[in-house]
Amino acid sequence: MTKDDFYNLAMQAFRPAKTLIGMVPADKLGWQPGPKFMTLGQLICHLSLGVGDGIRLLHTGEWPTDDEMLEGMKQENLPSCGVEEALEKLEVDKKTLSDALGAISEQDFASKTLSVPWGMQGKMEVLALSFLEHFTNHKMQLFLYLKMLGLPVNTQTLYFG
């Protein structure tokens, strides 16, 4: 897989994510399906981080400390944002992704072995696909939240926006 192939896959996932985020009712940002789930505002904020920053961190190795990551992953510490802020962050992440991929050689993307702080190790392109999978899983989570709220989402919304 080339960097362009990966970028195009990410953009295919970003399009419906943008649509889904845009469907979130402003008065439901605090809603969550249960006490151990992210709120809708936390979810769209997390989803809006996209994959660009992860690719940048893979390339630079400038990860937060273990303690910072553990604290940041606690449900009560997850930031929440509104729809406009989430959409703005998603747009910033597209640029971050483009810039990060531009700083990586095709050879490194295809063959450089790296590890991430939570224990995964592999070629950069495989780790990049894992970041995209993470994004896709949260996109599906948002789809389900919206469906539970009775909003008009369907398979086309999920995959094509």
Side-chain angles (χ1 to χ4, degrees), residues 129-144:
L129 286 170
S130 293
F131 288 2
L132 184 56
E133 179 183 23
H134 176 253
F135 178 82
T136 301
N137 288 336
H138 282 302
K139 180 176 62 117
M140 179 62 176
Q141 183 182 5
L142 177 56
F143 172 83
L144 289 173

Side-chain angles (χ1 to χ4, degrees), residues 24-107:
V24 171
D27 65 338
K28 297 292 185 190
L29 293 172
W31 181 86
Q32 61 195 118
K36 298 204 182 238
F37 289 83
M38 286 187 234
T39 66
L40 201 44
Q42 288 173 318
L43 177 57
I44 66 172
C45 201
H46 185 68
L47 184 62
S48 71
L49 298 175
V51 295
D53 203 46
I55 302 303
R56 182 188 65 78
L57 291 169
L58 263 181
H59 176 64
T60 65
E62 297 171 352
W63 298 98
T65 66
D66 289 346
D67 288 342
E68 289 170 332
M69 278 201 280
L70 285 175
E71 278 302 304
M73 292 187 329
K74 290 181 180 175
Q75 185 175 345
E76 65 270 14
N77 294 337
L78 293 174
S80 179
C81 58
V83 170
E84 285 208 22
E85 183 181 354
L87 291 172
E88 289 170 9
K89 286 180 178 212
L90 193 62
E91 288 301 314
V92 168
D93 193 70
K94 287 180 187 179
K95 172 114 174 59
T96 301
L97 178 58
S98 178
D99 292 347
L101 288 171
I104 300 167
S105 72
E106 286 290 347
Q107 170 128 7

Side-chain angles (χ1 to χ4, degrees), residues 98-116:
S98 178
D99 292 347
L101 288 171
I104 300 167
S105 72
E106 286 290 347
Q107 170 128 7
D108 281 352
F109 187 74
S111 61
K112 188 173 183 178
T113 299
L114 299 167
S115 61
V116 294

